[in-house]
Amino acid sequence: MKLIAAGAVGFVLPNFVGASRADAAVTALKQAIAEAAAKDEALSAFYRERNYKPVFVGNGDGRRRGALLKALASAGDHGLPIGAYDAAGLKAAMKAAKTPSDRGRVEVMAATRMLDYADHLRSGVLTPRRIDSLLVMDVPRYDRASTIDAFSKSNPAAFLKKMAPRKPEYVRLQKEKLQLEKLLGKGGWGDKVQAKSLKPGQSGGAVVQLRNRLIRMGYMRKSATQSYDVKMQSAVQKFQINHGLSPDGVAGASTIAQVNKDAQDRLQQVLVAMERQRWNSRPLEKKHVWVNIPDFHVDIMKNGKSTFRSRVVVGKNTSDRRTPEFSDTMEFMIINPSWYVPRSIVTKEYLPLMQRNKGAAGQLQIIGRNGKPVSRSSINFSQYNAKNFPYSMKQPPSKGNALGLVKFMFPNKHNIYLHDTPSKSLFGRESRAFSHGCIRVHKPFDFAYALLASQEKDPEGFFQSALRTKRERRVDLREPLPVHIAYYTAWVDAKGQAHYRNDVYNRDAQIFSALSRAGVSLRSVAS
């Protein structure tokens, strides 16, 4: 076989010269496949390995063609960009391809769209870090040549079906997506509630609007009541629980705002959540720590169930304080921790204060380059700025320490960890984005006991004994625990209940905008 240079640098095409007339059509098809695949290194390698035998346009490839066209046509069921695969256009091209040259081009077209579909379904349409630098999860992207090789050797329909995340969370979101699409086909949830707030005992048009929306959302059975009665109060409480609100049964301003959200807004959240599930399609560990930023909670999960849960405070919604999304491994906790103040806080917050008053932030020690405390009286703070300030700052262990009395460490480049705090009042808020980026835990001692339970007979006694010394102590976890800091504003629990949260950092909006640019669109389904 003679090799000639192809149009793309680094690729070569076979020259099928000298074939008999009987083989002319097959030879021409192979030549066309080689030419069409030349610009795609993975496909070129795949077809070269199989001597340019087709996968989709051969006489015996009907099952593969059918499976691919069916999968591409149903891409919208997964919230994927239907137009990117153009199942109808591909089907038409397959029917119209009569010459070997046309069939070769269609073969590579089909292979390319299959690979794009498989990649999007397995790993997501988007690359997270291109959307936001704080989306730092590592998304697995699979080798294209290996993927099409496996497809060519498998049951095609089953292979394509297995590309979707197999986690139950994804399947439940997909079901919620379909329900919302059907709801949109019927016109949504009806009139919005025209009131700033409503409470039990009231009646009137706004109460009827609230009743109707709760019925269509599935929180109430059909009813003709025109008053805010006990049944409506119970329905409001259920709604509040599923939307991260205080379940007092009163439809206050925040509850009315959530009730008045459009069904298409919820559908957008579900589509983003499905994309996030594709980014994180690998099964989670049997036991792990889960922090969902918009939910403002931390859980210890074991075999899919929460064995510990606590409220948390997360990073404030400013460019330098938002909590990033990433995964790591919790290795140890520090009881009675010192707070080594981050450089950014030292220079941006405390230096200006000390330039006005040397005694400011008196709870903090000034530390020299030799690691020893330096007297404030010896420092002329006015001669320094954020770039040349030569000191660091530290807060020794105490009840008033910014980290509280314990911190939980999973060393990472973002310098993010979970910790106690002396400021407890913020845990009473519904929205809890106030920190510098780290995650403050409402029940830190109980969290510590839960983490120590697998290695101490008396975890509480062990912890309290160390705490009473008032000295800093590191306690290693004998079984380091994976930590996942995630961002889901929509999920469906194992009982089929949909939960929604506010987009605290506007990340969902960014992701949906990028999905829209990629071709993802909202659908309504006629019942």
Side-chain angles (χ1 to χ4, degrees), residues 29-40:
L29 175 61
K30 290 183 176 182
Q31 181 74 45
I33 292 173
E35 291 174 355
K39 293 182 180 180
D40 187 317

Side-chain angles (χ1 to χ4, degrees), residues 500-516:
Y500 294 100
R501 298 294 184 268
N502 285 325
D503 186 12
V504 62
Y505 293 158
N506 204 42
R507 286 181 186 164
D508 268 24
Q510 288 178 281
I511 293 170
F512 186 75
S513 178
L515 286 172
S516 296

Side-chain angles (χ1 to χ4, degrees), residues 263-332:
Q264 66 182 25
D265 294 330
R266 298 309 188 194
L267 180 55
Q268 287 183 18
Q269 289 181 260
V270 168
L271 290 173
V272 171
M274 291 176 70
E275 175 73 354
R276 288 181 175 278
Q277 286 287 348
R278 291 189 287 265
W279 291 344
N280 299 285
S281 59
R282 291 172 177 168
L284 293 173
E285 304 80 5
K286 289 184 178 180
K287 185 176 181 182
H288 60 271
V289 174
W290 178 263
V291 178
N292 186 7
I293 295 169
D295 186 39
F296 306 112
H297 277 86
V298 59
D299 291 86
I300 296 179
M301 302 296 296
K302 189 172 183 180
N303 296 321
K305 296 182 179 180
S306 176
T307 60
F308 169 86
R309 183 167 173 83
S310 173
R311 295 184 176 196
V312 297
V313 168
V314 300
K316 189 176 181 180
N317 185 26
T318 60
S319 60
D320 59 339
R321 296 188 181 185
R322 297 183 189 108
T323 302
E325 300 168 54
F326 67 102
S327 298
D328 217 299
T329 302
M330 187 179 293
E331 300 173 1
F332 60 95

Side-chain angles (χ1 to χ4, degrees), residues 280-488:
N280 299 285
S281 59
R282 291 172 177 168
L284 293 173
E285 304 80 5
K286 289 184 178 180
K287 185 176 181 182
H288 60 271
V289 174
W290 178 263
V291 178
N292 186 7
I293 295 169
D295 186 39
F296 306 112
H297 277 86
V298 59
D299 291 86
I300 296 179
M301 302 296 296
K302 189 172 183 180
N303 296 321
K305 296 182 179 180
S306 176
T307 60
F308 169 86
R309 183 167 173 83
S310 173
R311 295 184 176 196
V312 297
V313 168
V314 300
K316 189 176 181 180
N317 185 26
T318 60
S319 60
D320 59 339
R321 296 188 181 185
R322 297 183 189 108
T323 302
E325 300 168 54
F326 67 102
S327 298
D328 217 299
T329 302
M330 187 179 293
E331 300 173 1
F332 60 95
M333 69 180 70
I334 295 180
I335 303 171
N336 295 316
S338 295
W339 181 39
Y340 297 88
V341 187
R343 177 75 181 176
S344 60
I345 299 177
V346 170
T347 58
K348 291 180 181 179
E349 297 184 23
Y350 291 130
L351 177 57
L353 292 176
M354 293 184 295
Q355 287 173 334
R356 294 192 293 269
N357 175 10
K358 282 191 175 186
Q363 77 277 17
L364 303 175
Q365 294 179 345
I366 309 295
I367 307 297
R369 288 173 176 166
N370 61 1
K372 296 181 179 180
V374 177
S375 171
R376 292 168 181 254
S377 61
S378 66
I379 303 173
N380 179 7
F381 292 102
S382 63
Q383 68 178 316
Y384 298 114
N385 57 42
K387 292 183 178 180
N388 66 11
F389 189 60
Y391 304 102
S392 59
M393 301 182 76
K394 169 186 173 182
Q395 186 177 19
S398 70
K399 287 185 178 180
N401 188 289
L403 303 182
L405 295 171
V406 60
K407 66 177 180 178
F408 307 92
M409 301 300 294
F410 39 104
N412 57 82
K413 64 181 181 180
H414 315 289
N415 199 27
I416 297 296
Y417 43 88
L418 282 80
H419 64 87
D420 181 19
T421 176
S423 303
K424 305 294 185 183
S425 62
L426 296 176
F427 292 111
R429 307 276 189 95
E430 286 180 345
S431 180
R432 297 186 289 276
F434 298 103
S435 80
H436 283 84
C438 283
I439 300 160
R440 304 174 189 170
V441 182
H442 185 215
K443 298 188 287 186
F445 288 7
D446 291 334
F447 188 39
Y449 305 155
L451 293 171
L452 293 169
S454 63
Q455 64 190 65
E456 299 294 337
K457 291 182 178 179
D458 180 10
E460 182 175 351
F462 174 88
F463 180 88
Q464 290 294 336
S465 177
L467 190 64
R468 284 192 295 270
T469 67
K470 298 183 179 181
R471 294 193 299 270
E472 188 168 316
R473 178 172 175 182
R474 169 174 168 152
V475 178
D476 290 330
L477 299 182
R478 292 176 193 165
E479 297 178 4
L481 204 56
V483 176
H484 302 286
I485 301 177
Y487 191 105
Y488 282 91

Side-chain angles (χ1 to χ4, degrees), residues 241-273:
I241 290 170
N242 289 353
H243 292 76
L245 304 169
S246 300
D248 57 9
V250 176
S254 56
T255 298
I256 294 293
Q258 294 301 319
V259 168
N260 280 342
K261 287 278 189 179
D262 291 327
Q264 66 182 25
D265 294 330
R266 298 309 188 194
L267 180 55
Q268 287 183 18
Q269 289 181 260
V270 168
L271 290 173
V272 171

Side-chain angles (χ1 to χ4, degrees), residues 37-49:
K39 293 182 180 180
D40 187 317
E41 185 177 357
L43 282 179
S44 184
F46 165 72
Y47 282 113
R48 185 168 56 248
E49 184 69 23

